[in-house]
Amino acid sequence: MALSSVSQTAFLLALLSLRTYQSEVLSEPLPSAPEFLKVSVNSTCQCLHLQWTVHNLSHHQEFRMVFQIEISRIKTSNVIWVENYTTTVKWNQVLHWSWESKLPLECAKHFIRMRSAVDTAKTPGPRVWSSWSSWEEADVQNSLGQDPLFVFPKDKLVEEGSNVTICYVSKSHQNNISCYLEGVRMQGEQLDPNVSVFNLNHVAFIRETGTNIYCKPGQGDRIKGTVLFVSKVLKEPKDFSCETQDLTTLNCTWDPGSDTGLLKQLSQSYALFESFSGKKTLCKHKSWCLWQVAPESQDMYNFTLTAENYLRKRSVHLLFNLTHRVHPMAPFNVLFKNVSATNATMTWKVHSIGKYHTLLCQVELYGEGKVTQHNVSVKVDGAHLFSGLEPDMEYMAQVRCANGDHFWKWSEWTQQNFTTAEAAPSEAPDVWRNVKTVQGRCVVTLFWKPLSKLQAHGKILFYNIVVDYLDRTSVSELLSIPAPANGTELPLSQCSSQIRIMANNSVGTSPASVIVVSREPGNEEVEEERVKGTEDGFPLSWKPQPRHVTGYLVEWCEHPQDPPCDLQWKNLGPNVTSTVVSSDAFRPGVRYNFRIYGISTERVPYLLARKTGYSQELAPSDNPQVVMTNLTSHSFTLSWKNYSTESQPSFIQGYHIYLKSKAGWCHSGSEKAVLSDDAAVCCKYKIDNPEQKTFVVENLQPESFYEFLVTPYTSVGEGPHDAFAKVTTPDEYSPTLIRIILPMVFCILLIMITCYLKSQWMKEKCYPDIPDPYKSSVLSLIKSKENPHLTIMNIKDCVPDSIEVLNKQEGTRKSLTETESTKPTYLYLLPTEKRYSSPGPCICFENFTYNQAASDSASCGHVPAPPKAPPSQLGLLTSPENLLKALEKNYMNSLGEIPAGETSLNYVSQLASPMSGDKSNLPINPPEPALCSEYKMQMAIPLGLASPPSSGSSSLSSVTLLDEGEHYH
C-alpha cells in the first residue's frame, strides 16, 4: 500500500517538471537569421572581417546566442571552415567576427554565411537554429590591376618554425611559371589554371632583411616576388629577479633571450606591473628596469614582467619581501696599517643600509700559493689583523659584504695589494762544486741555486765565500760575489780545504752551506751503467752505503751537447736509494750522463755510480764516413775510426756492412738482405762490437764492380740507407806488371832526359856537322908509340904530305865507268927538312867517311911526284907553317865563295913515319919512309887553293910546295 502511494507521487512530480519546461521554451522567441551581413578583407593580416545585426529583440531584452559561421573557397560547396561564435546579444547591437586565412585571400574567392541559435547550455535539449543567411562573396582578384603576374602574400611576418602558404596569380594564362625560394625552385599545386599554391613548412630564420621569394615565366624576363619576414620566436624572460642596495630603489633584471627584431618589426618591448600598488612602468632597457620603492612601508611586492612583439606576448611573475632582497654595495677605502715582516692590519668602510641592519663581511688573503678566509661583522667600519705572514712577500687581500639578518647576495669584491717587510734569509744556498787540477793547483768551480722568494726574505745583494784551509787552520780567504751570479771559480793554494757560502740581503745573512774539498779525487773508475728513460724521467737507483752518509747527490747536464752544459744537481736524504730525475729540457735522441755521489759526515762527496741513457732513443740519423784502403783483386779494407758513438741519438750496438755485386753471391760470414728503399738484394755483414771500426771485405772477384754501405744499428733501428760507395777490384796480374813496367818506364825517362840535356855533346862526339880535329875522337885513340902522351897534334907540328882536290860536276848523272875513270887531283906537300929525289915517302890514305865521291872511286894509292918538275909547275913555295895559316884563312872564305854543288872536300891524312914527332927533333938524314902507320892530322883543302892542272889531257896533276930554303933538283 505504501509502495503504491510513493510511485504515484513520483509520477506526478515528473509530469509537473515536463510541463514547466515546455512553458519556458514556448515563452522564448524563435531565433531569427542574422541580417545586414557585411564582409571586408584585410590583406595585411590576410583576414576576413564579418559584421551583422540580429532583429526581433525587445528594447531591454538580452540573449546569449550562438552563431555558426561557414566559409567556402572557390565555390560554395567547398566548405573549408566551420566555427560557432558565442556572445551576448543586445537590442540593436552590431556584432563583429574575424577570421585569418592560411591561404592568401588574393589567391581564391571566399564565400561566407551564418545562422544563429539561442544558447541553451543551461537547459538540456537540441538547439533550434535559424535559417542560413545568403552567401556573401569575398573576391580580391578583381582589384589586383593589369599586371600579368602577382605573388602573395606581400611582406608577410611570421615566426620561425611556422607553416606558410605562397601563391601566384597569372593573368596571361601561362603554365610554365617557376617560383624560387632563395634561388631554390619550389614544387607546388595548381588551384585553377591561373593560380598555383606552394606550402612552406617550418620556415627558418635566414636574415633580418627577410627571405626572398620570386616567380618568373618561362618566356621573358619579367619577375615578380615577395619578401617573407621570419622572426625568431619570442620566449618568456628568464632569471627574472629584483633586489635593492639601499632599500629605496629596486633593480629588476632578466635574460631577454633572442632578439626578435627585424627590418619590418621592432624588437620586443618589456613592461613591469606591480599588483599590490597597481602601478605599471614601461622598461627602457631589454634586460633591466628600475622601480622606486614607495615611501610607505610596503614590504611585499608582486611583479609581472610582460614581453611583447608584433606576433606574441609573454609574461612571468615574481613575489618577494623587500628586506630579503638586499644586495649591499661593495666596501670602499681599504687600507693596510702596521705592516711588518710577519703581520699587517686591514681596514675598510661599508655603505649603511639602515640602523637595524648588520653586515657580514668576508675577508680573503692570497699569498704563498694559498688562500685564507675570515668573516667579520660590521656596522659601519671594519678591520682585520693578518698574522704569520712571510717576509718580503706580496699579498692580495679582498673584502665583500652581505646582509647579516637575511642573506641574499654578496657584494662585489674590493681588493688591495701589500708587501711585507724584508728579513734575513732563512735557508742556506744549495751549493755544488767541480774540482780539477790545473798546473798542479786545485781549481774549484762553485755552483749555487738562487734562493726562492720564501727562502730569500728579500732581494739577495751578494754572496760571501769563505775558504778555510784544513792544513792551515789559521788561514782563511774571504770572497764576495755580487748577485745575481750563480757560480764562481776559485784557484786554491791547497786542495784540502773547507768552503762556506752564504747569501746576504739588506737585513742579514743566511746560514752557511759547507763543502769540503779533499786531496783524494774519489773513485773515478766507477763503471758506467745504462738507464732507460720514461715519460716521467730517468729512474735512478744505487746501493745503500755501509758507512755513515749525510745524504746523496745526483748531478747531470741538461744540455750536454752545448758548451755551457747547464749543470744541474739534486740533493737527497741519507735513507733514499732511488729517485726519478725529470726535466722539461730533456729531449729525445740526446744522451744524458748522471753521476751519483755520497756525502760523508765530513761533508766530503765521493762518486758512487755513473749512469747514462736517453729519454727516448732514436734511429741513427747519419752513417760513418768510410775510408777504403788496401784494395786488391780479392779484398779491400773499410775503416771509420772518426765515427763517434757518444754523440749518436741512441746506443750503437754494432754495424751492418751491405755489399752489392752483379753476381749477387754471398760468401760465408754474410747473409742476403733486401733493402726496402730500392728492393735491391745485398750481402749483409754484421759487426756486434760497436768499438770495432774496421772491416775487411774478402772473397771478391778480380775486375768486378761492387757497391758498399756501412750503417750503425741500434735497438730502435739502423742508420739511413744512403747512396752506396762504388769500387772496382783490379786485375789479378796488374800489380806484377806494374812492378815491372814502372822501373822500365823510369829508366827510359831518365835516359831520354839525359840525352836531351847532353844532346849537344852527343852531336859533337858522334855526328858533328863539320868535324873539328881538335875534338875528333879518332885522333884521341891514336897514340904515337914513341910519344904515347901525344894524342892531338898542334898546327905547328903538322907536316902535310899532300892535299887532294876533287872536282864534282853538276848535271847529268854519269855512268859507272865514267865515275870509275875519274881520278882525284892531289896536291903534294913535301917536307922542308930534306929534298927528296926519290918517289914520295908515303902513300895517300883517304877518309871515305867524309867524301862519298872519293869512296866511290878507286882507293887512293900512292901517286909519286915527278922526280923533276920545272919551276913553272910549282904552284906555291912556302913553309909549312905559312901554308897552314893560309889554308885556314882561305878555307873559311872559300866556303862562302864557292857555289854549292861545284866543289867538295876530300880529307887526306898525312902519313908519318915512325920517327915523326916534333919537327925540331927530325933527323938530318932520315931513313927511307916506310908505310904509314898512323894518322897525325886531318885537313880539309878547298879546290880554290889548288892550281889547275898543267895539262888538260891528264886528270892528275901534282904540285910540290917547297920551303924557301929548298931548291928543286
Side-chain angles (χ1 to χ4, degrees), residues 244-247 299 321-326 328 350-360 377-380 402-407:
T244 180
Q245 291 183 323
D246 52 7
L247 299 179
D299 294 335
N321 189 312
L322 179 63
T323 58
H324 296 177
R325 296 295 182 100
V326 177
V350 297
H351 297 274
S352 177
I353 58 173
K355 297 179 181 180
Y356 308 105
H357 293 277
T358 301
L359 295 179
L360 176 64
S377 295
V378 176
K379 285 283 188 182
V380 177
N403 187 1
D405 300 328
H406 302 283
F407 181 82

Side-chain angles (χ1 to χ4, degrees), residues 33 114 174 242 253 422 439 578 714 772 774 958:
M114 67 171 55
Q174 292 188 8
C242 295
T253 59
E422 291 188 0
Q439 297 180 355
S578 64
T714 65
D772 189 349
Y774 290 97
S958 300

Side-chain angles (χ1 to χ4, degrees), residues 29-76:
L30 294 175
S32 59
E35 296 180 352
F36 305 107
L37 178 61
K38 294 182 180 180
V39 179
S40 60
V41 177
N42 187 345
S43 297
T44 303
C45 65
Q46 294 296 323
C47 296
L48 291 176
H49 294 288
L50 278 65
Q51 177 180 315
W52 72 94
T53 60
V54 178
H55 292 274
N56 299 331
L57 295 179
S58 59
H59 185 70
H60 299 289
Q61 193 176 12
E62 291 184 1
F63 290 98
R64 187 164 183 83
M65 300 185 66
V66 178
F67 299 93
Q68 190 176 64
I69 305 171
E70 282 187 356
I71 301 176
S72 298
R73 180 173 294 162
I74 301 176
K75 55 185 178 179
T76 57

Side-chain angles (χ1 to χ4, degrees), residues 329-345:
M329 287 185 284
F332 63 98
N333 199 20
V334 178
L335 301 173
F336 292 94
K337 301 178 181 178
N338 304 325
V339 179
S340 65
T342 57
N343 298 322
T345 300

Side-chain angles (χ1 to χ4, degrees), residues 607-620:
L607 183 63
L608 292 180
R610 297 170 59 198
K611 311 278 186 178
T612 183
Y614 296 85
S615 60
Q616 180 183 350
E617 290 191 67
L618 302 176

Side-chain angles (χ1 to χ4, degrees), residues 73-92:
R73 180 173 294 162
I74 301 176
K75 55 185 178 179
T76 57
S77 60
N78 183 24
V79 178
I80 62 171
W81 189 267
V82 177
E83 181 180 335
N84 291 335
Y85 172 64
T86 303
T87 185
T88 302
V89 181
K90 298 179 181 179
W91 174 77
N92 204 22

Side-chain angles (χ1 to χ4, degrees), residues 372-387:
T372 58
Q373 287 186 351
H374 305 276
N375 293 330
V376 181
S377 295
V378 176
K379 285 283 188 182
V380 177
D381 297 332
H384 181 73
L385 174 64
F386 297 110
S387 59

